Amino acid sequence: MSLLKPASYAFRGLDAGGAWSIDFEAIEGIKCFALYSGACWVELAGPPAPVRLEAGDFVMLPTGQAFRLYTSTEAAPLDAEAFFSSFPTGEIAVLNGGGGCLGVGGYFDFDGLHADRLLAMLPPLVHIRAEANKAALRSSIERLMSEMRAPQPGSSLIAGHLAQALLVEAIRRHLAERSSNSTGWLFALADRKMHAAIAAMHADLGRRWTLKDLAGVAGMSRSSFAARFKATVGEPAMDYLTRWRMMVAAERLTAEGLSISVVASAVGYDSDSAFGAAFKRVIGRPPRQFAKVAA
């Protein structure tokens, strides 16, 4: 989440009645919708097939692609931007008198250089069903709706924090449900031993890590650790470490404006030339050129 760098978000409630359909255009970032009561359908512009949402469900669209939210395919679709823009951010938009379907939806935009790469690890539609929700996710939805239905001083600030908490809880639930048959560093965090090794790398990027060191952190033999890391993360441990170092280095060169020498040392390189070669291999261009273009 720190590399994603959440920059902005906007949330509104929706209280809709009767037959309705709303079209949402594609945007950069994450779109999401939590259903408090009633039922409706969500359909992406492409696969997968339409998904029915019940009270307590949460749906997240990490790739920001266009989608439709509806109760009836026969209803003439409304343009989401035109409809919701007439209601202030943080309030509830009423459609057809309301009373049939109540929920809250919105988007998160990100400033992180690697946001697209990180979000691409998630499927185009993440559906967290009510029966799978943990108390934290349910309480976030209920508290968010409460702040929107009965605004008080500071409600918009509290709603913003609740929305971010809802996003994190949803990602946690998705990882917990999919970790047994999914590959990638996000899903590997559900594996206690791999989590320990990944956390150690992230916490001390400047350390001259060896495969033996990381295996020790995970409490495994070198060979067993190497095989398990590749199987769960999808790439060898040292390759992952190099790629993560370069992603962090790219952020520090641009967002923090640090010199190449300082960044190289901070991510575990003794020489600028060795760092430059690794950076170009992972990011696609030399660090000095990258920093100049990104500035």
Side-chain angles (χ1 to χ4, degrees):
M1 289 300 291
S2 63
L3 279 182
L4 285 175
K5 295 187 181 299
S8 61
Y9 53 84
F11 271 75
R12 289 182 177 87
L14 174 64
D15 186 4
W20 56 271
S21 177
I22 304 176
D23 280 348
F24 294 78
E25 293 184 352
I27 63 164
E28 294 184 358
I30 289 180
K31 293 180 179 180
C32 53
F33 186 78
L35 195 59
Y36 184 73
S37 62
C40 63
W41 294 82
V42 60
E43 181 179 9
L44 294 179
V51 172
R52 181 174 171 82
L53 303 180
E54 305 281 353
D57 283 7
F58 180 88
V59 66
M60 177 171 62
L61 292 79
T63 56
Q65 66 187 82
F67 73 101
R68 175 173 293 181
L69 204 62
Y70 63 92
T71 56
S72 170
T73 56
E74 302 300 319
L78 297 174
D79 176 74
E81 178 63 27
F83 171 68
F84 285 107
S85 62
S86 61
F87 298 89
T89 299
E91 295 190 6
I92 296 178
V94 179
L95 177 61
N96 297 338
C101 188
L102 180 63
V104 59
Y107 72 90
F108 291 90
D109 194 15
F110 304 96
D111 278 345
L113 294 172
H114 310 292
D116 291 345
R117 187 178 303 184
L118 295 173
L119 294 176
M121 297 180 188
L122 296 170
L125 189 150
V126 174
H127 181 203
I128 309 296
R129 292 176 174 80
E131 62 267 21
N133 284 353
K134 293 294 185 182
L137 187 58
R138 289 198 301 271
S139 65
S140 292
I141 296 173
E142 292 171 359
R143 180 74 189 281
L144 185 54
M145 287 305 306
S146 175
E147 291 292 339
M148 299 182 79
R149 296 175 78 178
Q152 301 180 54
S155 280
S156 60
L157 180 61
I158 291 176
H161 288 299
L162 289 170
Q164 292 194 46
L166 187 60
L167 174 63
V168 174
E169 287 295 337
I171 292 175
R172 284 178 173 176
R173 291 307 310 150
H174 176 65
L175 297 183
E177 292 175 9
R178 295 287 301 277
S179 60
S180 62
N181 59 0
S182 300
T183 300
W185 69 269
L186 272 172
F187 299 103
L189 295 178
D191 182 312
R192 182 176 58 83
K193 292 181 180 293
M194 297 303 100
H195 184 185
I198 291 172
M201 288 187 232
H202 288 195
D204 192 1
L205 284 178
R207 177 171 170 175
R208 274 53 171 178
W209 289 104
T210 65
L211 200 57
K212 182 179 179 180
D213 293 334
L214 293 170
V217 170
M220 303 174 67
S221 69
R222 184 178 179 279
S223 59
S224 295
F225 171 77
R228 186 157 161 181
F229 192 98
K230 185 173 183 180
T232 56
V233 178
E235 63 184 323
M238 303 313 290
D239 288 356
Y240 170 83
L241 176 60
T242 298
R243 184 168 57 82
W244 190 261
R245 280 171 165 167
M246 296 308 110
M247 291 174 69
V248 172
E251 284 287 336
R252 293 182 177 177
L253 284 170
T254 54
E256 300 178 28
L258 299 177
S259 69
I260 291 175
S261 294
V262 169
V263 172
S265 177
V267 296
Y269 286 81
D270 292 323
S271 73
D272 290 0
S273 59
F275 167 72
F279 191 94
K280 183 177 180 180
R281 185 171 66 252
V282 174
I283 303 299
R285 61 180 63 185
R288 195 176 308 279
Q289 184 184 89
F290 175 84
K292 182 181 295 186
V293 172

